[in-house]
Amino acid sequence: HVQLVESGGGSVQAGGSLRLSCQATGTWADRNCLGWFRQIPGKEREGVAAVSLETGDTYYGDAVKGRFAISQEKGKNMVSIQLNSLSLKREDTAMYYCAAYEAPDGSCYMDPRFVDVWGHGTQVTVS
């Protein structure tokens, strides 16, 4: 099965930048997508950014387009993604989760209902 290990996160001032990383290992089966979702207390989990491991296509949530950039690195039996963020805003404060999934149509459309493997999460606080 797939295991996801997140790193990065922490506290940063508004306007700053942060990098989150996710290392995925194991058997991928039918999952073609690796991405990030985020959640604040009392709200639903939302998609931040994702990448197709097959095509390299990237997907972004409307709230982060133009500010976040996802990239993919492939290693031996390991895939990691890095989420680089510029011009962080206070509303980016949330718990960020790495996710492995595939949408029913084969794309990497970000819907938490499609995710069957989650990381433990890493907190990002923007002040």
Side-chain angles (χ1 to χ4, degrees):
H1 62 283
V2 178
Q3 291 183 318
L4 305 176
V5 179
E6 300 132 330
S7 61
S11 298
V12 64
Q13 291 187 340
S17 61
L18 208 60
R19 185 171 70 182
L20 306 180
S21 297
C22 174
Q23 290 187 339
T25 59
T27 303
W28 284 95
D30 295 330
R31 303 176 193 90
N32 183 48
C33 310
L34 199 59
W36 289 90
F37 290 72
R38 67 185 183 184
Q39 188 172 26
I40 62 175
K43 291 196 173 183
E44 295 184 354
R45 199 166 290 191
E46 67 171 355
V48 176
V51 60
S52 168
L53 303 179
E54 180 177 338
T55 66
D57 291 342
T58 56
Y59 302 72
Y60 293 96
D62 290 338
V64 306
K65 282 181 181 177
R67 298 189 299 119
F68 287 19
I70 191 168
S71 60
Q72 174 189 357
E73 295 182 7
K74 288 185 177 180
K76 184 179 181 180
N77 295 328
M78 185 171 66
V79 173
S80 63
I81 59 171
Q82 293 183 338
L83 180 65
N84 296 310
S85 55
L86 298 175
S87 300
L88 283 168
K89 303 177 181 179
R90 290 185 178 182
E91 49 264 42
D92 294 319
T93 295
M95 184 70 79
Y96 285 70
Y97 297 90
C98 186
Y101 67 101
E102 183 165 329
D105 63 356
S107 74
C108 293
Y109 179 78
M110 294 181 290
D111 187 323
R113 295 171 297 177
F114 300 154
V115 177
D116 57 350
V117 182
W118 293 100
H120 292 295
T122 183
Q123 178 69 36
V124 172
T125 302
V126 184
S127 60

